[in-house]
Amino acid sequence: MEILDIKVRKIEPGDLFYIAEIEEKVFGLDAFPFYYLFELYEKCRDFFLVADYKGLTIGYIVSCIENQSLHIHSVAVIEGFRGKGIGRMLLEETIKLAKSMGIEKILLEVSTQNTVAIALYEKFGFKRVGMRTNYYADGSDAYIYMLDLKENNSQHVR
Ligand SMILES: CC(C)(COP(=O)(O)OP(=O)(O)OC[C@H]1O[C@@H](n2cnc3c(N)ncnc32)[C@H](O)[C@@H]1OP(=O)(O)O)[C@@H](O)C(=O)NCCC(=O)NCCS
C-alpha cells in the first residue's frame, strides 16, 4: 500500500456509517453511538476529517471548537492500516486547520494505558496538563493533553 493512495478529506454524510462501525470495533463500550457522531457531524464538520484509501474510509478524526480551543473527540485508524503514518496525517491536517482559524490551543483526553496514541501526541508537541480519573467505561483514567499553538511549530518529530 502506497501512502500516496491515501487522502485526508472532509467528511461526507455517507462516511458516518463506516465511522460508526470503526468506533464500535475500536472503542467498544466507550464508542460514540451513531446519533452522537451525527451530532458531531452537524456541529463540527469543518474538523471532521476522514482518511480515504481508494474510496474506503480507513480512519477519521473529529474535533470541535469549545471555549476558543479545539477539542479532539475521537481519532482512529482501522487495524490493518495502522503504523503507516495515517494517524499522523489526520493530526497534521487538524493542526493546520486549527492554525488557519487562529485557534490557540488543542485539547484531548487519552487513556493512561494508550502508549501508541500518547507517543503520537507527544511527537507533535502535546504536553500532559491533567488527568481525569474514572473517565472510561471500565473505570480507567485519562490524561489530558494540550498543544499550545502559540508557542509550538507543531512539526511531527521522528
Ligand atoms: C492512535 C492511532 C490513531 C495512531 O494511528 P497510526 O496511523 O497507527 O499512527 P502513525 O502510523 O501515523 O504513527 C504516528 C506515531 O504514533 C506512534 N506509533 C504508531 N504505531 C506505534 C506502535 N505500534 N508502537 C508505538 N508507537 C506507535 C509513533 O510515535 C508514530 O510515530 P513514528 O511513525 O514517527 O514512529 C491508531 O493506533 C489507532 O487507531 N489506535 C486505536 C484508537 C486510539 O487509540 N485512538 C486514540 C484515542 S485518544
Side-chain angles (χ1 to χ4, degrees):
M1 187 200 66
E2 282 289 322
I3 195 84
L4 287 178
D5 287 332
I6 294 171
K7 48 176 196 232
V8 171
R9 58 165 173 79
K10 291 254 168 83
I11 190 172
E12 290 161 12
D15 296 314
L16 273 175
F17 293 98
Y18 301 103
I19 290 169
E21 265 179 37
I22 300 172
E23 267 279 324
E24 201 176 329
K25 210 174 205 164
V26 172
F27 297 110
L29 286 176
D30 291 302
F32 293 150
F34 186 84
Y35 81 87
Y36 188 66
L37 288 168
F38 187 73
E39 220 172 280
L40 290 173
Y41 167 74
E42 289 202 309
K43 283 199 301 204
C44 315
R45 75 182 72 168
D46 284 348
F47 284 97
F48 207 148
L49 307 174
V50 304
D52 180 309
Y53 175 64
K54 298 183 174 174
L56 203 70
T57 302
I58 54 160
Y60 56 91
I61 187 165
V62 55
S63 321
C64 296
I65 299 173
E66 288 158 19
N67 304 321
Q68 289 153 17
S69 301
L70 191 71
H71 189 165
I72 298 180
H73 287 274
S74 190
V75 52
V77 173
I78 62 174
E79 226 173 287
F81 284 84
R82 289 184 193 156
K84 299 177 192 303
I86 300 167
R88 188 166 64 228
M89 286 167 73
L90 288 165
L91 201 51
E92 245 160 28
E93 195 56 32
T94 298
I95 292 168
K96 210 158 70 176
L97 272 173
K99 282 183 173 172
S100 74
M101 292 191 185
I103 290 164
E104 296 185 347
K105 264 194 275 182
I106 304 182
L107 286 156
L108 58 87
E109 284 87 9
V110 57
S111 164
T112 56
Q113 316 294 315
N114 194 344
T115 49
V116 170
I118 288 172
L120 169 66
Y121 302 136
E122 288 185 348
K123 281 188 171 170
F124 275 93
F126 279 81
K127 301 273 185 280
R128 192 187 300 172
V129 292
M131 190 160 171
R132 295 195 201 282
T133 51
N134 209 8
Y135 184 73
Y136 296 103
D138 67 358
S140 59
D141 303 332
Y143 291 131
I144 304 169
Y145 269 83
M146 189 188 85
L147 181 66
D148 189 334
L149 294 175
K150 291 192 309 286
E151 62 181 40
N152 185 288
N153 67 6
S154 321
Q155 295 297 315
H156 179 274
V157 182
R158 277 189 184 269

